[in-house]
Amino acid sequence: MTRTTVVTGGGTGIGKAVAARFAADGDRVVIIGRRADVLEEAAKEIGGTALAADLSEPTEVERVRADLAERFGTIDVLVNNAGGNVEMQDGSGGVAERWTGNFRANVLTSVLPTEALRDLLNPSGRIVFMSSIAAFRGSGGTSYGPMKAALHPYAADLAADLGPRGITVNVVAPGFIEDTEFFSGTLDDERRAMLVAQTATGRAGTPQDIAETVHWLASPGAGHVTAQIIQVNGGAERGR
């Protein structure tokens, strides 16, 4: 049975890999993000539909909801992948400005679409949030880790609320994942070697590692897995 899968932040990196994994199964895949040109290119590549929107803006989210409801009526899978550390891009500004920036980029972009689309989810639907190892270990003094951590109790409450409808809600927390915009241009050889050395597997993660985990969480085989935080970091959270 063909499902309708929505992936936010689906134009590059982890989001694109997740969208491609679902599309490979024949799902109708919608990728959402701010950059229309990047989304269109990714959609053509994976065989999906692009929908440009700033998911931190309530009016934009309502437009997305109306569009999806008109096109598909219901959805089956929502992957909240949109986010990023805005303090890595611009370290200027005061504390309130920096924390508000990461709140908008990582909390609102997950909460607003989830609340807008939850009533469109079919029975046995799936919601997956993208967190980070930084939610457990900190993020070097930035607000990125705390904002990702904010998604954890929200997901637990949502799982309890939606569980009677057969909908599961889980969180995936990646570690060091190469080939993503998150680390693009910010990682020298020394830091890369340090991050790999922290793992038990002796390698960096890939977007495909995360895509396979998300795909499993959305499968019938994970139907009794909910309110969980799945860490995908090669054991790095253990602090090797």
Side-chain angles (χ1 to χ4, degrees):
M1 178 173 153
T2 301
R3 298 187 299 181
T4 299
T5 296
V6 177
V7 182
T8 72
T12 62
I14 290 173
K16 182 180 177 182
V18 169
R21 182 65 181 85
F22 283 94
D25 266 2
D27 285 9
R28 291 181 294 265
V29 177
V30 180
I31 56 175
I32 305 175
R34 292 177 300 166
R35 297 173 294 178
D37 56 339
V38 173
L39 287 174
E40 290 291 349
E41 183 177 346
K44 289 178 183 177
E45 184 177 336
I46 69 174
T49 300
L51 184 55
D54 182 348
L55 296 175
S56 68
E57 294 291 341
T59 55
E60 290 280 278
V61 173
E62 285 305 313
R63 176 175 61 81
V64 166
R65 185 198 184 283
D67 192 312
L68 293 175
E70 182 178 356
R71 291 196 202 192
F72 307 109
T74 59
I75 63 174
D76 299 284
V77 181
L78 172 62
V79 182
N80 290 292
N81 173 74
N85 189 350
V86 300
E87 291 190 51
M88 289 177 65
Q89 301 164 17
D90 182 7
S92 64
V95 173
E97 181 181 352
R98 297 197 307 272
W99 279 66
T100 300
N102 265 335
F103 173 74
R104 290 177 60 84
N106 295 286
V107 179
L108 286 187
T109 56
S110 289
V111 173
L112 293 182
T114 299
E115 293 300 318
L117 299 175
R118 58 188 286 174
D119 67 320
L120 297 185
L121 280 162
N122 282 317
S124 300
R126 303 286 188 259
I127 299 175
V128 180
F129 293 97
M130 203 62 63
S131 180
S132 169
I133 191 173
F136 297 89
R137 300 204 312 185
S139 50
T142 76
S143 59
Y144 174 73
M147 293 307 152
K148 284 300 189 183
L151 298 175
H152 298 183
Y154 173 59
D157 286 344
L158 201 62
D161 194 18
L162 298 180
R165 291 171 53 193
I167 297 169
T168 67
V169 184
N170 291 288
V171 180
V172 174
F176 171 40
I177 307 296
E178 281 192 305
D179 300 323
T180 66
E181 289 187 336
F182 190 94
F183 288 104
S184 179
T186 67
L187 201 64
D188 58 27
D189 291 343
E190 182 179 357
R191 177 157 173 75
R192 181 190 182 280
M194 181 270 290
L195 291 172
V196 170
Q198 290 177 349
T199 70
T201 55
R203 70 170 178 87
T206 69
Q208 288 69 36
D209 289 324
I210 308 304
E212 290 295 339
T213 303
V214 173
H215 187 264
W216 174 73
L217 286 171
S219 72
H224 200 50
V225 178
T226 195
Q228 301 303 306
I229 304 167
I230 312 298
Q231 297 197 60
V232 186
N233 55 43
E237 190 271 333
R238 296 297 181 182
R240 287 174 58 87

